[in-house]
């Protein structure tokens, strides 16, 4: 398997219903881990984690889906593993994490072993809701590269079933005072949609530092020779505690407070690269301790967090994975981006990112 630069924004999806599917997921995991420049010990841990987690899904849910995502060049080496199933779920995840716990008479070392092998492990599970497991594996003992970004984020981005290229894409630009996110969905699917999305990514990078409205105007001009796309650009101003949003078409943006009703951000009608009725930037207050959620029409607009106890406080990648599993449309490309502000005491003395 060859991992290309364009594939860095895509989650590799491997459905599995038997040991052969798990073996295929292991092959992809090894290729991605090597491309991320993980060392042999970390790769070994990643493969053990995947095997244990997928084996649990086979035993309790007759299979599921593995999603794999690697770190980008220049970022700390990391492999992210999501294992999603629609099985009976667990009533008490903390109890199931103990050594010796088993529901089927086995030694019961799976989840506790996964916790020891992973650098990050979070699980969402409830009776009747299936189980979603998130693990990240990196280089233990690696030096820190400065304080973390203000926005802790996670993403799932997968092509339509049967396609190898994804027309949905995303990008994050993080600075000390602002974080800017692009979400783009090339019209249709396959190579033409992929071409439009990749052109949008290149334009977003070229216009680094600009406001959302300016970004959207630049995208509109730059992808006219492609099939076109729907897109949104959102900027979080950490000093003003404000969100600026400009969108065109059916990209959905939602601000989810810790309590109370969510706020849907406004996109204008039209298609980027063809015709937009009006390019306009809207402003919203940032929801303290809340979430920002962006997605393409590959995710149903009727998604919910309430049926999943405690999910809104989990890792953003786990939230994105659960929403994709239960509300994703496998007949189209799908991207789900979830972000949350990091606690200020995690950002270092400057209160901002590098």
């Amino acid at each position: 398997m060859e991992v290309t630069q364009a594939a860095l924004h895509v989650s590799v999806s491997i459905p599995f219903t038997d040991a052969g599917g798990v073996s295929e997921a292991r092959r992809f995991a090894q290729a991605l881990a090597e491309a991320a420049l993980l060392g042999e010990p970390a790769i070994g841990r990643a493969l053990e984690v995947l095997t244990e987690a997928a084996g649990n899904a086979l035993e309790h849910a007759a299979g599921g889906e593995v999603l794999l995502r690697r770190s980008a060049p220049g970022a700390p080496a990391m492999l992210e593993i999501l294992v999603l199933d629609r099985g009976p779920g667990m009533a008490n995840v903390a109890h199931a994490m103990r050594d010796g716990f088993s529901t089927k008479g086995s030694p019961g070392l799976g989840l506790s072993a996964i916790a020891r092998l992973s650098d990050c492990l979070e699980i969402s599970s409830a009776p009747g809701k299936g189980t979603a497991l998130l693990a990240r594996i990196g280089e233990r003992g690696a030096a820190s590269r400065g304080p973390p970004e203000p926005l802790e984020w996670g993403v799932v981005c997968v092509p339509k079933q049967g396609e190898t290229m994804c027309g949905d894409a995303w990008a994050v630009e993080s600075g000390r005072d602002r974080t800017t996110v692009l979400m783009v969905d090339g019209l249709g699917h396959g190579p033409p949609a992929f071409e439009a999305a990749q052109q949008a990514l290149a334009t977003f990078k070229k216009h680094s530092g600009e406001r959302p409205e300016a970004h959207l105007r630049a995208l509109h001009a730059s992808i006219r020779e492609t099939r076109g796309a729907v897109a949104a650009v959102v900027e979080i101003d950490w000093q003003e505690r404000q969100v600026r949003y400009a969108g065109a078409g059916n990209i959905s943006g939602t601000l989810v407070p810790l309590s109370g009703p969510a706020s849907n951000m406004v996109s204008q009608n039209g298609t980027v690269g063809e015709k937009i009725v009006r390019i306009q930037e809207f402003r919203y207050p940032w929801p303290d301790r809340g979430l920002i959620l962006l997605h393409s029409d590959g995710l149903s607009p009727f998604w919910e967090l309430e049926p999943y106890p405690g999910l809104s406080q989990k890792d953003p990648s786990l939230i994105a994975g659960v929403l994709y599993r239960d509300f994703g449309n496998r007949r189209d490309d799908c991207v789900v981006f979830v972000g949350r502000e990091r606690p200020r005491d995690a950002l270092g003395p400057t209160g901002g990112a590098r």
Side-chain angles (χ1 to χ4, degrees), residues 45-340:
R45 289 191 290 117
L47 296 181
E48 286 189 62
V49 165
L50 191 155
T51 301
E52 289 281 357
N56 286 343
L58 276 178
E59 181 179 4
H60 298 288
E65 183 175 2
V66 172
L67 297 177
L68 303 169
R69 186 171 67 86
R70 55 153 290 193
S71 54
M78 178 276 297
L79 182 69
E80 182 176 276
I81 300 170
L82 271 167
V83 180
L84 311 172
D85 73 53
R86 298 176 182 272
M90 294 179 281
N92 189 328
V93 173
H95 183 57
M97 292 289 294
R98 298 174 185 168
D99 281 340
F101 175 83
S102 175
T103 60
K104 293 197 173 183
S106 66
L109 298 178
L111 289 181
S112 57
I114 290 170
R116 288 190 290 270
L117 292 165
S118 303
D119 299 301
C120 165
L121 175 66
E122 288 203 7
I123 298 172
S124 173
S125 187
K129 293 294 184 183
T131 297
L133 179 148
L134 167 72
R136 290 195 190 92
I137 291 86
E139 294 290 357
R140 290 181 171 172
S144 172
R145 302 193 182 187
E149 300 173 358
L151 188 72
E152 176 189 16
W153 54 268
V155 66
V156 168
C157 183
V158 296
K160 174 186 175 181
Q161 284 186 344
E163 294 286 353
T164 58
M165 292 183 171
C166 187
D168 288 1
W170 55 275
V172 180
E173 178 191 1
S174 188
R176 175 168 176 161
D177 299 322
R178 294 186 294 169
T179 300
T180 307
V181 183
L182 166 69
M183 179 73 54
V184 60
D185 176 358
L187 296 189
H189 51 82
F194 173 82
E195 178 188 356
Q198 294 303 304
Q199 179 62 40
L201 291 177
T203 301
F204 178 76
K205 183 177 181 180
K206 181 178 179 181
H207 290 265
S208 173
E210 296 190 2
R211 298 294 191 189
E213 184 175 328
H215 266 299
L216 199 61
R217 292 186 186 281
L219 294 176
H220 188 46
S222 73
I223 67 171
R224 290 187 182 277
E225 301 303 317
T226 72
R227 175 177 285 187
V230 295
V233 182
V234 58
E235 176 194 276
I236 306 166
D237 188 314
W238 300 111
Q239 301 301 315
E240 297 183 9
R241 314 295 295 168
Q242 191 172 71
V243 177
R244 298 180 178 91
Y245 181 91
N250 57 354
I251 293 290
S252 297
T254 305
L255 297 170
V256 184
L258 184 64
S259 61
S263 299
N264 293 321
M265 295 182 282
V266 177
S267 288
Q268 301 288 352
N269 292 328
T271 301
V272 180
E274 293 185 5
K275 182 179 180 181
I276 302 176
V277 173
R278 185 180 182 185
I279 295 178
Q280 184 177 359
E281 189 175 284
F282 295 88
R283 298 188 180 193
Y284 306 89
W286 172 253
D288 290 337
R289 300 174 64 197
L291 301 171
I292 184 169
L293 199 148
L294 305 166
H295 65 86
S296 68
D297 64 353
L299 189 78
S300 167
F302 303 110
W303 57 268
E304 300 178 275
L305 291 176
E306 289 79 7
Y308 307 91
L311 178 62
S312 65
Q313 299 308 302
K314 297 285 190 179
D315 188 286
S317 286
L318 189 64
I319 299 171
V322 171
L323 293 178
Y324 160 77
R325 180 193 66 189
D326 292 350
F327 299 98
N329 174 7
R330 304 308 196 271
R331 299 182 302 277
D332 196 1
D333 300 330
C334 180
V335 58
V336 187
F337 179 99
V338 180
R340 174 194 291 115

